[in-house]
Amino acid sequence: MIMDKPNLKVFETVDNLLFSLADSFVEIGNEAIEEHGRFNVVLSGGSSPKKLYELLASQAYRNKLDWSKVHFFFGDERNVPANDSQNNALMARKALFEPLMIPEANVFAINTSLSPEKAAEAYMETIREQFTEESVHFDLILLGLGDDSHTASLFPHTTVLKEKEASVKSVFVEKLNTDRITLTAALINQAKRIFFLVYGKEKAAAVETIFGKVRDAEKYPAQLIRQDSRTSWFLDKDSASKVES
Ligand code: 6PG
């Protein structure tokens, strides 16, 4: 590890990053299971986390957590069928759930067979049913970062950015000409821990916007995510190359 700011962890290689994040994932998981009998974790989509899911399902980690007590949710989903290669839940199913034989009852995927609006409503209902407390506090939320500084499906200049409610919303993303279903920033910010998993030099400019002086969440939506000691950034040196040490 080169630099360890309160919530900024920069690694020489992506592998070092993934092993460190996997260690923290199982540590938080075991603490949550110890504390309240289950680990409520929100997974990220996109391509970056696939290697992490494969690592968690590997010999190195598969015996480090009681996976029968892990409940999986998703931060966002594309408006595509469950068997579509672009479906985030399908990616996690192949990389993590199937290799670990995670019971279907522990997987809470967004139901994209419904309209985006109905899928968002239904998902918030599903989440509420899994939490006894009034407000929902996931143990850990895993997020990625797009090169346009979007996270989950909180894209620049979209309606969902103005949402103050801790909820799940559908949003039309003009630049992708498609709908997405996403947790709102308010719901994400209620999590006990937030991990950003970001690597590759193409992400360096976006990472810089998070820690930079220009504050404009409409333009850089990941700025909506709270930045305190409960939020950790796992970066490789390329994606961190524009962040001042
Ligand atoms: C999604 C993700 C999204 C992702 C970023 C980064 O559904 O696409 O949830 O927020 O994390 O787009 O994606 P990559 O990891 O593929 O660069």
Side-chain angles (χ1 to χ4, degrees):
M1 191 180 299
I2 299 175
M3 208 170 25
D4 188 5
K5 285 191 175 175
N7 63 4
L8 192 60
K9 302 173 188 291
V10 181
F11 298 86
E12 190 68 35
T13 67
V14 175
D15 281 355
N16 292 357
L17 181 167
L18 293 172
F19 274 94
S20 174
L21 202 160
D23 288 343
S24 300
F25 184 103
V26 294
E27 188 188 326
I28 291 171
N30 283 313
E31 281 165 14
I33 292 168
E34 182 81 20
E35 190 194 294
H36 57 94
R38 54 189 274 176
F39 176 31
N40 294 311
V41 61
V42 175
L43 298 182
S44 170
S47 56
S48 302
K50 186 165 178 281
K51 286 183 184 164
L52 172 70
Y53 302 156
E54 289 165 347
L55 181 60
L56 288 168
S58 72
Q59 275 310 325
Y61 287 90
R62 63 175 38 236
N63 302 317
K64 291 192 175 176
L65 200 50
D66 179 351
W67 296 98
S68 72
K69 295 203 171 83
V70 182
H71 292 245
F72 296 95
F73 301 82
F74 289 88
D76 70 327
E77 190 56 274
R78 292 93 181 263
N79 187 29
V80 295
N83 60 2
D84 186 295
S85 62
Q86 288 302 304
N87 185 280
N88 287 334
L90 182 64
M91 180 270 282
R93 195 175 294 288
K94 290 188 174 157
L96 184 62
F97 306 154
E98 285 171 1
L100 289 174
M101 296 189 285
I102 300 288
E104 204 44 45
N106 289 38
V107 176
F108 301 94
I110 296 171
N111 180 358
T112 55
S113 69
L114 302 170
S115 72
E117 297 72 22
K118 286 265 178 289
E121 267 171 44
Y123 200 56
M124 191 58 211
E125 210 34 58
T126 298
I127 290 172
R128 280 209 188 87
E129 285 159 7
Q130 297 304 312
F131 288 83
T132 49
E133 309 92 351
E134 187 47 39
S135 61
V136 171
H137 301 280
F138 291 103
D139 296 303
L140 175 64
I141 295 191
L142 194 61
L143 294 171
L145 183 72
D147 51 18
D148 60 358
S149 299
H150 83 263
T151 189
S153 280
L154 304 173
F155 281 84
H157 310 294
T158 56
T159 54
V160 70
L161 301 182
K162 294 190 178 56
E163 274 295 338
K164 298 290 175 250
E165 196 193 338
S167 184
V168 181
K169 295 294 179 189
S170 63
V171 56
F172 181 71
V173 183
E174 205 158 332
K175 66 185 260 183
L176 302 178
N177 190 27
T178 185
D179 290 289
R180 291 278 188 109
I181 299 106
T182 185
L183 275 57
T184 61
L187 182 54
I188 292 171
N189 286 335
Q190 286 181 180
K192 297 172 185 167
R193 300 293 301 279
I194 296 173
F195 283 178
F196 280 91
L197 163 59
V198 185
Y199 53 85
K201 61 181 176 310
E202 73 281 359
K203 298 288 176 72
V207 171
E208 187 187 23
T209 67
I210 307 303
F211 300 98
K213 295 190 179 51
V214 180
R215 311 312 293 171
D216 180 352
E218 272 290 318
K219 200 171 172 189
Y220 311 125
Q223 288 184 352
L224 291 170
I225 307 305
R226 63 158 211 254
Q227 294 305 331
D228 60 22
S229 59
R230 297 167 298 152
T231 300
S232 301
W233 288 78
F234 291 79
L235 305 170
D236 71 330
K237 68 179 188 315
D238 292 343
S239 64
S241 58
K242 293 180 189 289
V243 178
E244 277 144 39
S245 53

